[in-house]
Amino acid sequence: MSTTRTHLRTLTVAAAIAFAALGGTVATAAADTGGAEVAFLEEIGINNATLPGKSADEMVVAGYQTCGHLRAGGSILDEISAVEQTYHFGQGTLFVSAASTNLCPDFAG
């Protein structure tokens, strides 16, 4: 559990640094991100793919973590399996699909 927290904290810091490096586009990116996060939460809610026992904020962080794994070269199937094993639920396909569609559409195509 603490390894996951450390990884999530590292991911959050890396994202903050990347946004800071973007300079003037940060406000626009943040506004776009808010809508993406709402769409992500709506999609996983509609599809019954919410993470058991997790808050909305925790699910958004997990969605961004999924995007990070995919961008780092992880396969979709490996990420689906990892999400299902990590969160002990069987909707990894729908969760990863919602994350890649809403939180990292550049990855989804």
Side-chain angles (χ1 to χ4, degrees), residues 2 10 20 28 38 50 60-61 73 78 89 92 108:
S2 79
T10 301
T28 303
V38 169
T50 57
V60 168
V61 168
D78 287 344
F89 84 131

Side-chain angles (χ1 to χ4, degrees), residues 49 51 62 65-67 69-70 74-100 107:
L51 300 176
Q65 185 176 20
T66 291
C67 290
H69 293 158
L70 295 173
S75 77
I76 295 281
L77 294 177
D78 287 344
E79 189 59 20
I80 289 168
S81 178
V83 166
E84 289 180 350
Q85 289 177 5
T86 299
Y87 299 104
H88 307 289
F89 84 131
Q91 298 295 344
T93 300
L94 295 171
F95 185 89
V96 171
S97 174
S100 65
F107 178 81

Side-chain angles (χ1 to χ4, degrees), residues 4-6 11 13 17 19 21-22 25 30-32 35-36 47 52 55 66 69 71 76 78 83 93-94 104 107:
T4 301
R5 284 185 183 157
T6 301
L11 183 63
V13 169
I17 292 169
F19 276 171
L22 292 174
T25 62
D32 292 344
N47 291 321
S55 70
T66 291
H69 293 158
R71 285 185 178 125
I76 295 281
D78 287 344
V83 166
T93 300
L94 295 171
C104 49
F107 178 81

